[in-house]
Amino acid sequence: MSISNIKMLSMNPHFYSLLMQSFLSGYGKPCEIKLPFMAIPILLYAESREKLVNANSKSRIDTLFQSPQIIEENKISGKTRLAGYIDRYNSLKPYCKKAIIILSSEGKIAISEHKIILVEKIDYKDFEGTVKNWIRCAFYLGAVFSKTTEDHLSFFLGVDIK
């Protein structure tokens, strides 16, 4: 498989649109447009997704990503699970824009006054295998984001995303 084919598979805005739809299903209310853009880099990073596998409806961003990680008896800051976030955010932004366009053109979301309104919810239980795990992580990241403010998320992630 060529590098361009691998890139096309890993940078697939159709898959990102599915993750965003699940994120919005977990978020459960209209949200600012930038929040799904903030979620995708977290979901695509194996270290952070590893924590989301165990997330549930009571999880919070600080409980998921603040606790230290123990590797070979050494404690490493929990925020290392979000290392390189800004670079991932910037490189994924064009694909996230395409994902929003896909969701909108398929009638799964509506955009009104800088907010995304989910029209068609999805349930991760309707999926199987690895895709189900990705969709589940996106759903619970949405639930986690819904419990905090944009300012707290920006502070926690160490970014001021406009």
Side-chain angles (χ1 to χ4, degrees):
M1 186 178 287
S2 73
I3 296 293
S4 62
N5 289 340
I6 292 170
K7 185 175 179 181
M8 188 184 323
L9 288 172
S10 65
M11 302 294 214
N12 187 330
H14 290 279
F15 183 61
Y16 295 176
S17 70
L18 185 64
L19 293 177
M20 284 185 182
Q21 188 177 7
S22 182
F23 169 84
L24 293 166
S25 294
Y27 196 80
K29 56 188 175 188
C31 76
E32 291 294 323
I33 291 175
K34 67 183 173 181
L35 291 182
F37 284 73
M38 293 171 75
I40 293 295
I42 294 171
L43 291 167
L44 294 181
Y45 188 53
E47 294 284 329
S48 54
R49 199 173 53 256
E50 171 184 294
K51 290 304 290 180
L52 289 165
V53 167
N54 298 318
N56 60 48
S57 60
K58 295 179 183 177
S59 297
R60 294 186 330 261
I61 192 132
D62 53 328
T63 60
L64 284 173
F65 297 110
Q66 197 69 17
S67 61
Q69 183 177 13
I70 299 173
I71 299 177
E72 297 178 17
E73 299 183 23
N74 294 317
K75 284 188 176 183
I76 299 172
S77 165
K79 283 193 176 183
T80 59
R81 293 185 186 101
L82 298 170
Y85 176 82
I86 295 171
D87 290 336
R88 284 192 310 281
Y89 175 86
N90 288 327
S91 67
L92 293 169
K93 199 172 185 179
Y95 303 100
C96 291
K97 287 179 182 179
K98 289 178 184 176
I100 293 288
I101 291 167
I102 290 166
L103 286 171
S104 181
S105 67
E106 292 177 347
K108 295 178 180 175
I109 64 168
I111 299 175
S112 177
E113 298 179 19
H114 301 289
K115 293 208 182 244
I116 297 176
I117 301 156
L118 182 63
V119 174
E120 185 179 317
K121 289 185 178 186
I122 60 172
D123 188 341
Y124 65 86
K125 295 173 188 163
D126 294 336
F127 295 84
E128 294 181 10
T130 305
V131 173
K132 179 180 181 176
N133 293 336
W134 282 82
I135 304 291
R136 184 184 185 285
C137 288
F139 178 87
Y140 283 111
L141 185 60
V144 166
F145 272 33
S146 73
K147 295 177 190 170
T148 190
T149 65
E150 290 176 50
D151 289 339
H152 183 255
L153 284 171
S154 294
F155 173 77
F156 190 83
L157 296 171
V159 295
D160 183 28
I161 298 172
K162 301 287 180 198

